[in-house]
Structures are given as C-alpha cells and as structure tokens.
Amino acid sequence: MAKIIIIALVVLAIAVYLIFHFFAEPPPPPVSVPPSVQLLESRLVGRKDGARQWEIWAQSVLQAGESVTLNDMDEIIMFQDDEPYLFIDAQRAVWERKPDILYLHDAVVRDEDETFYLESDLLIWAGSEETLASPESVFIRWQGLEIDAAEMLLKAQENLLYLKDDVRIRDGSMLWRVESAVYDLDQESMEFFGSLVLEGEVGESE
Amino acid sequence: MNRKIVTLMVVVALLVTSGRFALAQSQVGTLEITGVPTDVAAGRYDREAGVFSADVREIDGASITVKLEDVEITGKTMEWRTDDNYLFFTVDARLTQDDFELTADQVEYFGEDKNLKAEGRVVVTTEDATVYADHLDYDEETDEALFTGNVRVVFSDGVLEGERFLMLLEKSELQFFGSFQGEFTDEENGEQ
C-alpha cells in the first residue's frame, strides 16, 4: 500500500513539474524603472558663491531623471544679500534640470511688504532665457498698479513685461482695457497695442 | 436790422444754455482708440511723467475719442497730461456737444486754467450760425469766447466779417473789435 502511495506521489510530482514547465506562462520581464530619489519633509537651500539664493521647504521632493518634483511646499524664499525679498507659494513645482525650466503650479509670488504680488495658475521660469511666463490668467499688483491679463511674459534681462489678451490695468482712478500691452519696467511706461478703452476720473475733485 | 441782432442773440443764448466747454469739473470720462490692428501700438503712457499720447494718423479708419458726459472730442493724435489735466488734439480735431460742433487743426484744453484753445481753420457750428476764425480762446471762468483772425460769422441770412470777435456768453453780449463788415439779406423785401 505504501508503495502505491509513493508511486502516486511521484507521478503527481512529475505531472505538476510538466504542467508548470511546459504550459504555465512565463513571468513578465521586470519593468525598467529609472533610479529616483525621494526625500520627505525637506529643506533645500540654494547657494551661489556661498551666499544663500533660495530656500525651499517641501513635504516631498522627488528626483527622477532630469526632473525634480516638489509637492506640498510651504514656501520658496528668494534671498538678496542674504535677506529674504521674494516669497513664492505654490502647490507644486517641477524643475526640468537640463533645459533649466521651473514650473510653478497655483503660484503666488509676493515681496515682504506685499508691494509686489503675483498670482497665476501656472508660472514658467526659463532660466536660460531669463523669462517668467504665465500662459494662463495672471493678476499682478505692483507700484500702485493692478493688472489682470490672460497671458504674461516677463523678459527679465530687458525688464519688459508683455501682457496679452483682455488686459486690464488699474492705475488709481484710471482703468485701461487693452488688447495687449508692453510695460517697460525701467522707463515706467506702457505701450498699448490694438484698440483700447480708458475709463477714469478727469478734472478736479471737488 | 433788429432781426439780425435777434439772430446774433440767439447764437449767444444757444452757447450759454448749452454750457459749451465745461470740462473742468471732476467727471468720469472715457478715452477710446478704435480701429487699431492688434499688432500696432497706437497709445503710450509714461507713468513717471503722467503723460498719455496716441497717434493713429497712419491707421486707416482708426480714431481717438474722449467722452466727458455729453462732450465728445475726437482727433487723430492726442496728448493728455494727467498731472495738470491738459488735453491736446490734432489732425481732424473735433469737439461736439448736442447740436454744437467745433473743428480745428488743433484743440487744446488746459484743465488747471479752465481754458480751451483752438487753432487753425477754426469752425464753430451751431443750429443758427457758423463762426470761422484762425483762433478761438475760451475762458471757462469768465465764460468768454474770443475768436481772432479772419473771423466770419455766417447766419442763414447774412455774414459778418472782422478780425476780433468776443462772445461774453454769460452776459449774452457780443463785442466786435476793429473794423467789421456785415452783409445781410432782408428776407421780407429780398434786399441786401
């Protein structure tokens, strides 16, 4: 009887081996995952020549390839002469290292006393060209101006601010509504393209 | 002759009652530049100097219009100094209000001084008369309009010509300086 059981087990073992060896699908090949680094609750500090340039505190920093993604950021602080001068709040930031492009989603940029305030759903800083673009609607408060525009491009080297589509600029009691405008930040002058409407108070205030 | 004087007085009365050039009070106004292609810059505002300037001379169909209540000023070029509220229109400059119209080569309005000047081919048209002159100087404080240089006042039934013509609008008074000559048609008798 024991002989019969042993023979049956051997037959079963041979059958199982044959089934798995010849009929079962081979396991899928391993997926190629690029090496990545994830840091949690991180404070990143950027320095140039030893001087602090910027500081970022984020819940999550993920580096994958050439892309660095920061989530749940507290604040980005930009420094000038080691003093904070610009604060950026953003939901998410993605830095493409090679082309040096920084995407800031749901961003608010302001200076310490909020004389400068910028709000945009998406800000794109192109480091090589030194341009800051908002391909979506933007609101800026600066030097007594309140600016709304559907699109914005700041050319930092030339200090020119390009505003496009449905541009509204409030300057005190004056409200400019223009198709597009270029604001020369050095000259403090604006050039208006296309048709425009200015509404405002004219004459003496009595 | 009494009828001519009455006609003149009607012109004055019309100017007085319509309060022609009253621009200096604080008002909400609009400035519009229309007909400008989107890739062309027609206006420029210098914030530091507080000067807005616009030029649409080279753009077909484009115009610059300032509206202050029922007063409308148009032109092809303009400058506006916000600090002292100075407006300067040139090329097809035109000021209209109801049935009143002023056209000139250039129209300047000095907001602080409450003074309006028009120069070059000045034409003031009302329902009852048309005044032609080289210059118009209107003082809002004294409500006086001074026409100078080749002045012609044309009524439906006559013409007055001279060099200097002052309308004292508040007093409903007309003053002619220097030599003036007039020519009227007596409609009843058909005589001149």
Side-chain angles (χ1 to χ4, degrees), chain B residues 12-40:
Chain B
V12 175
L14 280 166
L15 287 168
V16 171
T17 52
S18 55
R20 289 305 163 203
F21 311 116
L23 299 172
Q25 303 303 310
S26 178
Q27 300 167 2
V28 174
T30 59
L31 183 156
E32 279 185 65
I33 301 181
T34 53
V36 181
T38 51
D39 58 342
V40 175

mmCIF file of all heavy atoms in Angstrom, chain B residues 12-40:
data_model
loop_
_atom_site.group_PDB
_atom_site.id
_atom_site.type_symbol
_atom_site.label_atom_id
_atom_site.label_comp_id
_atom_site.label_asym_id
_atom_site.label_seq_id
_atom_site.Cartn_x
_atom_site.Cartn_y
_atom_site.Cartn_z
ATOM 1 N N VAL B 12 -25.786 133.470 -29.214
ATOM 2 C CA VAL B 12 -25.190 133.597 -27.884
ATOM 3 C C VAL B 12 -25.972 132.771 -26.866
ATOM 4 O O VAL B 12 -25.404 132.037 -26.063
ATOM 5 C CB VAL B 12 -25.142 135.078 -27.453
ATOM 6 C CG1 VAL B 12 -24.649 135.200 -26.033
ATOM 7 C CG2 VAL B 12 -24.247 135.861 -28.396
ATOM 8 N N ALA B 13 -27.303 132.922 -26.952
ATOM 9 C CA ALA B 13 -28.149 132.197 -25.985
ATOM 10 C C ALA B 13 -27.935 130.694 -26.092
ATOM 11 O O ALA B 13 -27.855 129.996 -25.090
ATOM 12 C CB ALA B 13 -29.614 132.540 -26.237
ATOM 13 N N LEU B 14 -27.793 130.226 -27.325
ATOM 14 C CA LEU B 14 -27.571 128.786 -27.514
ATOM 15 C C LEU B 14 -26.257 128.332 -26.892
ATOM 16 O O LEU B 14 -26.172 127.292 -26.252
ATOM 17 C CB LEU B 14 -27.560 128.456 -29.014
ATOM 18 C CG LEU B 14 -28.935 128.332 -29.652
ATOM 19 C CD1 LEU B 14 -28.826 128.350 -31.175
ATOM 20 C CD2 LEU B 14 -29.621 127.061 -29.191
ATOM 21 N N LEU B 15 -25.231 129.168 -27.086
ATOM 22 C CA LEU B 15 -23.933 128.831 -26.499
ATOM 23 C C LEU B 15 -24.006 128.825 -24.984
ATOM 24 O O LEU B 15 -23.462 127.954 -24.319
ATOM 25 C CB LEU B 15 -22.862 129.840 -26.967
ATOM 26 C CG LEU B 15 -22.427 129.693 -28.421
ATOM 27 C CD1 LEU B 15 -21.606 130.902 -28.841
ATOM 28 C CD2 LEU B 15 -21.620 128.428 -28.626
ATOM 29 N N VAL B 16 -24.715 129.840 -24.451
ATOM 30 C CA VAL B 16 -24.799 129.956 -22.985
ATOM 31 C C VAL B 16 -25.557 128.779 -22.390
ATOM 32 O O VAL B 16 -25.093 128.126 -21.463
ATOM 33 C CB VAL B 16 -25.507 131.283 -22.594
ATOM 34 C CG1 VAL B 16 -25.806 131.308 -21.110
ATOM 35 C CG2 VAL B 16 -24.643 132.467 -22.994
ATOM 36 N N THR B 17 -26.733 128.522 -22.972
ATOM 37 C CA THR B 17 -27.572 127.488 -22.352
ATOM 38 C C THR B 17 -26.961 126.107 -22.456
ATOM 39 O O THR B 17 -27.183 125.250 -21.620
ATOM 40 C CB THR B 17 -28.970 127.463 -23.008
ATOM 41 O OG1 THR B 17 -28.779 127.354 -24.419
ATOM 42 C CG2 THR B 17 -29.752 128.707 -22.655
ATOM 43 N N SER B 18 -26.163 125.896 -23.491
ATOM 44 C CA SER B 18 -25.606 124.544 -23.624
ATOM 45 C C SER B 18 -24.324 124.370 -22.826
ATOM 46 O O SER B 18 -23.817 123.262 -22.730
ATOM 47 C CB SER B 18 -25.353 124.229 -25.098
ATOM 48 O OG SER B 18 -24.540 125.227 -25.661
ATOM 49 N N GLY B 19 -23.813 125.467 -22.243
ATOM 50 C CA GLY B 19 -22.629 125.355 -21.389
ATOM 51 C C GLY B 19 -21.480 124.680 -22.088
ATOM 52 O O GLY B 19 -20.958 123.668 -21.663
ATOM 53 N N ARG B 20 -21.080 125.251 -23.222
ATOM 54 C CA ARG B 20 -20.238 124.574 -24.189
ATOM 55 C C ARG B 20 -19.016 123.834 -23.689
ATOM 56 O O ARG B 20 -18.866 122.654 -23.878
ATOM 57 C CB ARG B 20 -19.772 125.594 -25.245
ATOM 58 C CG ARG B 20 -20.884 126.008 -26.140
ATOM 59 C CD ARG B 20 -21.531 124.798 -26.768
ATOM 60 N NE ARG B 20 -22.826 125.141 -27.303
ATOM 61 C CZ ARG B 20 -23.772 124.265 -27.510
ATOM 62 N NH1 ARG B 20 -23.594 123.023 -27.192
ATOM 63 N NH2 ARG B 20 -24.910 124.635 -28.012
ATOM 64 N N PHE B 21 -18.132 124.552 -23.088
ATOM 65 C CA PHE B 21 -16.812 123.951 -22.866
ATOM 66 C C PHE B 21 -16.587 123.534 -21.414
ATOM 67 O O PHE B 21 -15.471 123.465 -20.969
ATOM 68 C CB PHE B 21 -15.724 124.922 -23.320
ATOM 69 C CG PHE B 21 -15.957 125.477 -24.689
ATOM 70 C CD1 PHE B 21 -16.175 126.824 -24.885
ATOM 71 C CD2 PHE B 21 -15.962 124.637 -25.782
ATOM 72 C CE1 PHE B 21 -16.392 127.334 -26.154
ATOM 73 C CE2 PHE B 21 -16.182 125.132 -27.059
ATOM 74 C CZ PHE B 21 -16.405 126.504 -27.239
ATOM 75 N N ALA B 22 -17.655 123.278 -20.699
ATOM 76 C CA ALA B 22 -17.499 122.963 -19.277
ATOM 77 C C ALA B 22 -16.893 121.571 -19.110
ATOM 78 O O ALA B 22 -17.576 120.567 -19.110
ATOM 79 C CB ALA B 22 -18.843 123.037 -18.578
ATOM 80 N N LEU B 23 -15.567 121.520 -18.982
ATOM 81 C CA LEU B 23 -14.873 120.229 -18.871
ATOM 82 C C LEU B 23 -14.142 120.061 -17.549
ATOM 83 O O LEU B 23 -13.706 118.980 -17.223
ATOM 84 C CB LEU B 23 -13.836 120.103 -19.996
ATOM 85 C CG LEU B 23 -14.338 120.131 -21.431
ATOM 86 C CD1 LEU B 23 -13.156 120.199 -22.371
ATOM 87 C CD2 LEU B 23 -15.171 118.925 -21.743
ATOM 88 N N ALA B 24 -14.005 121.158 -16.821
ATOM 89 C CA ALA B 24 -13.059 121.123 -15.701
ATOM 90 C C ALA B 24 -13.557 120.411 -14.460
ATOM 91 O O ALA B 24 -12.764 119.997 -13.652
ATOM 92 C CB ALA B 24 -12.668 122.544 -15.322
ATOM 93 N N GLN B 25 -14.840 120.253 -14.312
ATOM 94 C CA GLN B 25 -15.318 119.597 -13.106
ATOM 95 C C GLN B 25 -14.884 118.131 -13.113
ATOM 96 O O GLN B 25 -14.624 117.546 -14.156
ATOM 97 C CB GLN B 25 -16.849 119.685 -13.045
ATOM 98 C CG GLN B 25 -17.377 121.109 -13.097
ATOM 99 C CD GLN B 25 -16.816 121.980 -12.007
ATOM 100 O OE1 GLN B 25 -16.844 121.590 -10.849
ATOM 101 N NE2 GLN B 25 -16.287 123.131 -12.338
ATOM 102 N N SER B 26 -14.824 117.568 -11.922
ATOM 103 C CA SER B 26 -14.454 116.169 -11.826
ATOM 104 C C SER B 26 -15.541 115.306 -12.471
ATOM 105 O O SER B 26 -16.699 115.370 -12.078
ATOM 106 C CB SER B 26 -14.287 115.790 -10.359
ATOM 107 O OG SER B 26 -13.984 114.442 -10.265
ATOM 108 N N GLN B 27 -15.164 114.539 -13.477
ATOM 109 C CA GLN B 27 -16.142 113.733 -14.195
ATOM 110 C C GLN B 27 -15.531 112.378 -14.517
ATOM 111 O O GLN B 27 -14.331 112.264 -14.655
ATOM 112 C CB GLN B 27 -16.515 114.402 -15.521
ATOM 113 C CG GLN B 27 -17.105 115.770 -15.390
ATOM 114 C CD GLN B 27 -17.142 116.491 -16.742
ATOM 115 O OE1 GLN B 27 -16.750 115.935 -17.759
ATOM 116 N NE2 GLN B 27 -17.610 117.707 -16.733
ATOM 117 N N VAL B 28 -16.418 111.424 -14.672
ATOM 118 C CA VAL B 28 -15.937 110.134 -15.150
ATOM 119 C C VAL B 28 -15.998 110.175 -16.673
ATOM 120 O O VAL B 28 -17.052 110.377 -17.257
ATOM 121 C CB VAL B 28 -16.789 108.978 -14.596
ATOM 122 C CG1 VAL B 28 -16.358 107.656 -15.223
ATOM 123 C CG2 VAL B 28 -16.640 108.911 -13.093
ATOM 124 N N GLY B 29 -14.860 110.046 -17.272
ATOM 125 C CA GLY B 29 -14.803 110.117 -18.730
ATOM 126 C C GLY B 29 -14.192 108.855 -19.297
ATOM 127 O O GLY B 29 -13.663 108.013 -18.580
ATOM 128 N N THR B 30 -14.307 108.728 -20.604
ATOM 129 C CA THR B 30 -13.674 107.582 -21.265
ATOM 130 C C THR B 30 -12.835 108.063 -22.439
ATOM 131 O O THR B 30 -13.142 109.078 -23.057
ATOM 132 C CB THR B 30 -14.712 106.573 -21.805
ATOM 133 O OG1 THR B 30 -15.554 107.239 -22.741
ATOM 134 C CG2 THR B 30 -15.528 105.961 -20.711
ATOM 135 N N LEU B 31 -11.790 107.331 -22.668
ATOM 136 C CA LEU B 31 -10.958 107.568 -23.835
ATOM 137 C C LEU B 31 -10.970 106.271 -24.635
ATOM 138 O O LEU B 31 -10.731 105.207 -24.083
ATOM 139 C CB LEU B 31 -9.538 107.910 -23.391
ATOM 140 C CG LEU B 31 -8.506 108.268 -24.459
ATOM 141 C CD1 LEU B 31 -7.417 109.113 -23.837
ATOM 142 C CD2 LEU B 31 -7.872 107.064 -25.118
ATOM 143 N N GLU B 32 -11.287 106.387 -25.902
ATOM 144 C CA GLU B 32 -11.354 105.177 -26.727
ATOM 145 C C GLU B 32 -10.496 105.343 -27.957
ATOM 146 O O GLU B 32 -10.537 106.389 -28.601
ATOM 147 C CB GLU B 32 -12.791 104.917 -27.182
ATOM 148 C CG GLU B 32 -13.650 104.240 -26.151
ATOM 149 C CD GLU B 32 -15.026 103.911 -26.697
ATOM 150 O OE1 GLU B 32 -15.111 103.085 -27.617
ATOM 151 O OE2 GLU B 32 -15.998 104.510 -26.212
ATOM 152 N N ILE B 33 -9.712 104.329 -28.242
ATOM 153 C CA ILE B 33 -8.992 104.286 -29.510
ATOM 154 C C ILE B 33 -9.524 103.075 -30.250
ATOM 155 O O ILE B 33 -9.430 101.949 -29.758
ATOM 156 C CB ILE B 33 -7.470 104.180 -29.303
ATOM 157 C CG1 ILE B 33 -6.970 105.378 -28.485
ATOM 158 C CG2 ILE B 33 -6.757 104.146 -30.649
ATOM 159 C CD1 ILE B 33 -5.482 105.378 -28.239
ATOM 160 N N THR B 34 -10.127 103.321 -31.392
ATOM 161 C CA THR B 34 -10.760 102.223 -32.126
ATOM 162 C C THR B 34 -10.103 102.056 -33.499
ATOM 163 O O THR B 34 -9.457 102.967 -34.009
ATOM 164 C CB THR B 34 -12.266 102.491 -32.319
ATOM 165 O OG1 THR B 34 -12.414 103.788 -32.920
ATOM 166 C CG2 THR B 34 -13.014 102.464 -31.015
ATOM 167 N N GLY B 35 -10.306 100.880 -34.052
ATOM 168 C CA GLY B 35 -9.840 100.594 -35.409
ATOM 169 C C GLY B 35 -8.343 100.378 -35.532
ATOM 170 O O GLY B 35 -7.788 100.534 -36.616
ATOM 171 N N VAL B 36 -7.703 100.003 -34.429
ATOM 172 C CA VAL B 36 -6.249 99.783 -34.467
ATOM 173 C C VAL B 36 -5.977 98.279 -34.527
ATOM 174 O O VAL B 36 -6.476 97.526 -33.676
ATOM 175 C CB VAL B 36 -5.561 100.377 -33.216
ATOM 176 C CG1 VAL B 36 -4.051 100.168 -33.294
ATOM 177 C CG2 VAL B 36 -5.885 101.855 -33.086
ATOM 178 N N PRO B 37 -5.198 97.813 -35.518
ATOM 179 C CA PRO B 37 -4.861 96.379 -35.556
ATOM 180 C C PRO B 37 -4.129 95.955 -34.270
ATOM 181 O O PRO B 37 -3.434 96.760 -33.652
ATOM 182 C CB PRO B 37 -3.922 96.259 -36.768
ATOM 183 C CG PRO B 37 -4.203 97.460 -37.600
ATOM 184 C CD PRO B 37 -4.601 98.546 -36.650
ATOM 185 N N THR B 38 -4.280 94.686 -33.938
ATOM 186 C CA THR B 38 -3.755 94.209 -32.658
ATOM 187 C C THR B 38 -2.220 94.239 -32.577
ATOM 188 O O THR B 38 -1.657 94.216 -31.491
ATOM 189 C CB THR B 38 -4.216 92.764 -32.374
ATOM 190 O OG1 THR B 38 -3.922 91.977 -33.516
ATOM 191 C CG2 THR B 38 -5.696 92.709 -32.088
ATOM 192 N N ASP B 39 -1.568 94.277 -33.751
ATOM 193 C CA ASP B 39 -0.104 94.269 -33.711
ATOM 194 C C ASP B 39 0.494 95.682 -33.832
ATOM 195 O O ASP B 39 1.697 95.829 -33.992
ATOM 196 C CB ASP B 39 0.453 93.364 -34.814
ATOM 197 C CG ASP B 39 -0.007 93.793 -36.197
ATOM 198 O OD1 ASP B 39 -1.001 94.544 -36.279
ATOM 199 O OD2 ASP B 39 0.622 93.393 -37.196
ATOM 200 N N VAL B 40 -0.370 96.662 -33.752
ATOM 201 C CA VAL B 40 0.115 98.042 -33.889
ATOM 202 C C VAL B 40 -0.063 98.776 -32.555
ATOM 203 O O VAL B 40 -1.122 98.727 -31.939
ATOM 204 C CB VAL B 40 -0.658 98.791 -34.998
ATOM 205 C CG1 VAL B 40 -0.249 100.259 -35.054
ATOM 206 C CG2 VAL B 40 -0.422 98.116 -36.341
#
